[in-house]
Amino acid sequence: MRTIVFSSQNYDRDSFLGTACPAGIELHFQPARLSLDTAALADGHAVVCAFINDDLSAPVLERLAAGGTRLIALRSAGYNHVDLVAAKRLGLGVVRVPAYSPHAVAEHAVALILALNRRLHRAYNRTREGDFSLHGLTGFDLVGKTVGIVGTGQIGATFAKIMHGFGCQLLAYDPYPNPDVVALGARYLSLPELLAQSRIISLHCPLNEHSKHLINRDSLAHMQPGAMLINTGRGGLVDTPALIDALKEGQLGYLGLDVYEEEAQLFFEDRSDLPLQDDVLARLLTFPNVIITAHQAFLTHEALGAIAATTLHNIATWAAGAPQNQVEG
């Protein structure tokens, strides 16, 4: 079963080649991002293994199907970038990795909180330049602070456990309350109530038609002045220009992003020698109370190993006629 792995980085190659590969699967690694221009590279490959910023719109899926592809194996839990209606029409199977390491993403969210709160990014740059002053570096104790968790699936629940360990008061918003989160003492509220009562808000929900721009000008206005917002979910959960206005006005006191709505043409590549063409992202990077990482929350040895193992298992079970972790259109 010839499989082409698009958007593959060195760490993808290492994790896949370091995982026991079921018989019959032949892996080909392609660093290029999947798009209509690169879809021809998949000709003759029954399986296309794609990542979050690969283009899986209807025109791309049609080109893949014409070239012999029969399965889209996602290396992610999210599948909002796949045109599932087109995939079903073309007879393409779609499988995903529903869970890999919730600890990886949850711990990265906590790292952003700690770095923003204690201004670690500013302190690091100062001391490297010989400035050992402390002005502007005052943070706050996490113990006793109210943390709002939007989305309490596996990642959100893991994040809740960590913040409970810090002694935080937990609030949650999710259409399906998680008993494990309730057991930590969390109270489920409406989103406006959660935003109004939380000092820190962390997003851990999927991106769909209901959650797109969940955080917008109206919802930002519900937040406490100076609140902290963390997004390690999907970039489209927030209206980025609205974040800029909230930062300028001081309504938003801290912002930590590991995802960005327009990241597809930017993240996972070294663009340090090129001028940044995205004016919105460039403006965000000017704020001293903002930290942006390039979608690295998933990037741990454990998570990469789990992604590779589940992806290979998904391909093998699909080939055997007993597919698992299918995404239904």
Side-chain angles (χ1 to χ4, degrees), residues 45-56:
H45 293 82
V47 182
V48 164
C49 184
F51 200 43
I52 49 176
N53 289 329
D54 286 314
D55 184 353
L56 291 163

Side-chain angles (χ1 to χ4, degrees), residues 176-221:
Y176 307 99
N178 187 331
D180 292 338
V181 176
V182 173
L184 296 172
R187 292 186 294 123
Y188 278 83
L189 302 175
S190 68
L191 183 59
E193 290 175 316
L194 179 146
L195 296 177
Q197 297 181 36
S198 300
R199 179 74 174 270
I200 300 168
I201 298 110
S202 191
L203 306 181
H204 299 285
C205 52
L207 177 63
N208 53 43
E209 65 273 17
H210 304 295
S211 63
K212 184 175 176 61
H213 291 178
L214 189 73
I215 302 299
N216 51 47
R217 295 183 192 281
D218 290 339
S219 53
L220 285 163

Side-chain angles (χ1 to χ4, degrees), residues 236-259:
L237 295 174
V238 301
D239 178 356
T240 313
L243 296 181
I244 292 174
D245 289 340
L247 286 163
K248 289 166 63 177
E249 296 163 3
Q251 175 67 13
L252 194 58
Y254 311 79
L255 177 64
L257 301 178
D258 185 55
V259 287

Side-chain angles (χ1 to χ4, degrees), residues 236-303:
L237 295 174
V238 301
D239 178 356
T240 313
L243 296 181
I244 292 174
D245 289 340
L247 286 163
K248 289 166 63 177
E249 296 163 3
Q251 175 67 13
L252 194 58
Y254 311 79
L255 177 64
L257 301 178
D258 185 55
V259 287
Y260 175 57
E261 190 167 13
E262 304 300 328
E263 71 178 56
Q265 303 298 328
L266 294 169
F267 286 9
F268 308 116
E269 302 290 341
D270 181 0
R271 301 181 182 277
S272 57
D273 291 333
L274 302 171
L276 183 57
Q277 299 295 328
D278 190 311
D279 292 342
V280 175
L281 182 59
R283 182 68 178 96
L284 274 178
L285 290 170
T286 66
F287 289 97
N289 53 344
V290 172
I291 295 179
I292 299 174
T293 54
H295 210 134
Q296 72 177 76
F298 75 98
L299 197 64
T300 67
H301 292 296
E302 293 82 357

